Amino acid sequence: MNNPLAQHLLTFLRDISNVDPPCFLTPSVIARAVQADPQDVFDTLVALSDHGLVTQHFDIRCPCCSYLFPYPAPEIDQAVICPACHHTFPIAYDHLMVRFALVSASSPMTISDAYNAVQTFHARHGFPVATGTRDELLLRLALMQEELGEIASVVTKAPRGADHTGFTQADWEHLTEELTDLLYLWLGTAVHCGWTPEEISQKFHAVHHKNMGRAPRHTALQHPHSESE
């Protein structure tokens, strides 16, 4: 991006990204720090996200009780009701909290980074965030089944060879693309159900710990020289 404000914001975000714990900032606070208009800052943050340079998520902080609740589609001046104290107030830049993560090819995304990116996608398009219905889950199931079908098609139709050496580069690229689509849908289902990154991590570690204590049961996945159960 050739926008000078975008470059200024990226520099500012890199500087404060080294702060531990991570910052939650309003566009107004960022605007004061970089000496810019809050609306320009907000619009530029959205543009940086659109260009894949920043993943971000917006929350609303209630001015009465300071409760922080996720807001799916931030629109300035739109009235919202706080789910904690039930106070109604119009969203201003001072109420809009932004948490973000810089995207870097040399720095792998964490579960939280990926989750927040997908949550931003849901918010942008008005998809469910922690409020999904059974019918919507059935739709997501159908989408995941479709992706599994694409994966199966790549694996079964590619030329055969030992250790998949018959795969062409195009086969691998197609396979990784479909697997990534499936991961994106899986994360979207977590967003849909309100399953947080912290809960995902806890459950993953619990399952991993359980699996590490088990002998292999699926012999088809065993190394040829490993002992069967």
Side-chain angles (χ1 to χ4, degrees), residues 62-67 81-89:
C62 175
C64 293
C65 68
S66 295
Y67 179 80
I81 302 175
C82 175
C85 70
H86 306 294
H87 175 73
T88 300
F89 61 95

mmCIF file of all heavy atoms in Angstrom, residues 62-67 81-89:
data_model
loop_
_atom_site.group_PDB
_atom_site.id
_atom_site.type_symbol
_atom_site.label_atom_id
_atom_site.label_comp_id
_atom_site.label_asym_id
_atom_site.label_seq_id
_atom_site.Cartn_x
_atom_site.Cartn_y
_atom_site.Cartn_z
ATOM 1 N N CYS A 62 -18.454 -0.947 26.953
ATOM 2 C CA CYS A 62 -19.581 -0.148 27.437
ATOM 3 C C CYS A 62 -19.063 1.040 28.245
ATOM 4 O O CYS A 62 -18.244 0.863 29.154
ATOM 5 C CB CYS A 62 -20.500 -1.023 28.300
ATOM 6 S SG CYS A 62 -21.852 -0.095 29.057
ATOM 7 N N PRO A 63 -19.519 2.265 27.967
ATOM 8 C CA PRO A 63 -19.051 3.433 28.711
ATOM 9 C C PRO A 63 -19.570 3.480 30.145
ATOM 10 O O PRO A 63 -19.052 4.234 30.959
ATOM 11 C CB PRO A 63 -19.601 4.608 27.893
ATOM 12 C CG PRO A 63 -20.804 4.059 27.199
ATOM 13 C CD PRO A 63 -20.473 2.627 26.900
ATOM 14 N N CYS A 64 -20.588 2.669 30.449
ATOM 15 C CA CYS A 64 -21.164 2.688 31.797
ATOM 16 C C CYS A 64 -20.521 1.657 32.727
ATOM 17 O O CYS A 64 -20.171 1.967 33.857
ATOM 18 C CB CYS A 64 -22.668 2.438 31.732
ATOM 19 S SG CYS A 64 -23.570 3.775 30.924
ATOM 20 N N CYS A 65 -20.386 0.408 32.235
ATOM 21 C CA CYS A 65 -19.869 -0.644 33.119
ATOM 22 C C CYS A 65 -18.534 -1.211 32.652
ATOM 23 O O CYS A 65 -17.977 -2.100 33.302
ATOM 24 C CB CYS A 65 -20.891 -1.770 33.249
ATOM 25 S SG CYS A 65 -21.136 -2.723 31.733
ATOM 26 N N SER A 66 -18.004 -0.713 31.525
ATOM 27 C CA SER A 66 -16.722 -1.139 30.960
ATOM 28 C C SER A 66 -16.719 -2.584 30.482
ATOM 29 O O SER A 66 -15.671 -3.153 30.216
ATOM 30 C CB SER A 66 -15.584 -0.932 31.984
ATOM 31 O OG SER A 66 -15.413 0.441 32.246
ATOM 32 N N TYR A 67 -17.893 -3.184 30.369
ATOM 33 C CA TYR A 67 -17.983 -4.551 29.860
ATOM 34 C C TYR A 67 -17.519 -4.576 28.404
ATOM 35 O O TYR A 67 -17.876 -3.717 27.608
ATOM 36 C CB TYR A 67 -19.421 -5.063 29.971
ATOM 37 C CG TYR A 67 -19.631 -6.463 29.449
ATOM 38 C CD1 TYR A 67 -19.301 -7.569 30.227
ATOM 39 C CD2 TYR A 67 -20.156 -6.689 28.181
ATOM 40 C CE1 TYR A 67 -19.499 -8.862 29.755
ATOM 41 C CE2 TYR A 67 -20.354 -7.972 27.687
ATOM 42 C CZ TYR A 67 -20.027 -9.057 28.481
ATOM 43 O OH TYR A 67 -20.219 -10.325 28.016
ATOM 44 N N ILE A 81 -26.940 -2.186 22.694
ATOM 45 C CA ILE A 81 -27.346 -2.405 24.077
ATOM 46 C C ILE A 81 -26.308 -3.285 24.752
ATOM 47 O O ILE A 81 -25.978 -4.360 24.251
ATOM 48 C CB ILE A 81 -28.734 -3.080 24.149
ATOM 49 C CG1 ILE A 81 -29.776 -2.224 23.436
ATOM 50 C CG2 ILE A 81 -29.142 -3.318 25.598
ATOM 51 C CD1 ILE A 81 -31.144 -2.882 23.350
ATOM 52 N N CYS A 82 -25.785 -2.830 25.859
ATOM 53 C CA CYS A 82 -24.795 -3.601 26.611
ATOM 54 C C CYS A 82 -25.471 -4.841 27.203
ATOM 55 O O CYS A 82 -26.483 -4.717 27.904
ATOM 56 C CB CYS A 82 -24.179 -2.763 27.722
ATOM 57 S SG CYS A 82 -23.051 -3.700 28.780
ATOM 58 N N PRO A 83 -24.940 -6.041 26.952
ATOM 59 C CA PRO A 83 -25.558 -7.247 27.503
ATOM 60 C C PRO A 83 -25.355 -7.397 29.003
ATOM 61 O O PRO A 83 -26.025 -8.207 29.634
ATOM 62 C CB PRO A 83 -24.846 -8.376 26.747
ATOM 63 C CG PRO A 83 -23.544 -7.791 26.346
ATOM 64 C CD PRO A 83 -23.790 -6.344 26.096
ATOM 65 N N ALA A 84 -24.456 -6.578 29.581
ATOM 66 C CA ALA A 84 -24.192 -6.685 31.024
ATOM 67 C C ALA A 84 -25.087 -5.752 31.839
ATOM 68 O O ALA A 84 -25.776 -6.182 32.765
ATOM 69 C CB ALA A 84 -22.726 -6.397 31.313
ATOM 70 N N CYS A 85 -25.089 -4.458 31.488
ATOM 71 C CA CYS A 85 -25.864 -3.485 32.271
ATOM 72 C C CYS A 85 -27.107 -2.998 31.521
ATOM 73 O O CYS A 85 -27.881 -2.210 32.058
ATOM 74 C CB CYS A 85 -24.988 -2.301 32.656
ATOM 75 S SG CYS A 85 -24.534 -1.224 31.269
ATOM 76 N N HIS A 86 -27.272 -3.423 30.265
ATOM 77 C CA HIS A 86 -28.446 -3.088 29.440
ATOM 78 C C HIS A 86 -28.542 -1.600 29.103
ATOM 79 O O HIS A 86 -29.614 -1.119 28.741
ATOM 80 C CB HIS A 86 -29.737 -3.561 30.125
ATOM 81 C CG HIS A 86 -29.700 -5.020 30.486
ATOM 82 N ND1 HIS A 86 -29.657 -6.022 29.539
ATOM 83 C CD2 HIS A 86 -29.662 -5.635 31.698
ATOM 84 C CE1 HIS A 86 -29.620 -7.194 30.163
ATOM 85 N NE2 HIS A 86 -29.616 -6.995 31.463
ATOM 86 N N HIS A 87 -27.410 -0.888 29.229
ATOM 87 C CA HIS A 87 -27.387 0.518 28.847
ATOM 88 C C HIS A 87 -27.318 0.619 27.324
ATOM 89 O O HIS A 87 -26.589 -0.119 26.668
ATOM 90 C CB HIS A 87 -26.175 1.210 29.483
ATOM 91 C CG HIS A 87 -25.995 2.634 29.057
ATOM 92 N ND1 HIS A 87 -26.819 3.642 29.489
ATOM 93 C CD2 HIS A 87 -25.079 3.212 28.237
ATOM 94 C CE1 HIS A 87 -26.422 4.787 28.962
ATOM 95 N NE2 HIS A 87 -25.373 4.552 28.196
ATOM 96 N N THR A 88 -28.107 1.508 26.750
ATOM 97 C CA THR A 88 -28.081 1.736 25.311
ATOM 98 C C THR A 88 -27.222 2.956 24.998
ATOM 99 O O THR A 88 -27.368 4.005 25.630
ATOM 100 C CB THR A 88 -29.507 1.966 24.767
ATOM 101 O OG1 THR A 88 -30.302 0.809 25.045
ATOM 102 C CG2 THR A 88 -29.483 2.198 23.261
ATOM 103 N N PHE A 89 -26.316 2.811 24.030
ATOM 104 C CA PHE A 89 -25.443 3.930 23.683
ATOM 105 C C PHE A 89 -25.019 3.809 22.219
ATOM 106 O O PHE A 89 -24.943 2.708 21.659
ATOM 107 C CB PHE A 89 -24.197 3.960 24.577
ATOM 108 C CG PHE A 89 -23.332 2.732 24.469
ATOM 109 C CD1 PHE A 89 -22.234 2.698 23.620
ATOM 110 C CD2 PHE A 89 -23.622 1.605 25.221
ATOM 111 C CE1 PHE A 89 -21.445 1.573 23.506
ATOM 112 C CE2 PHE A 89 -22.836 0.465 25.126
ATOM 113 C CZ PHE A 89 -21.743 0.445 24.266
#
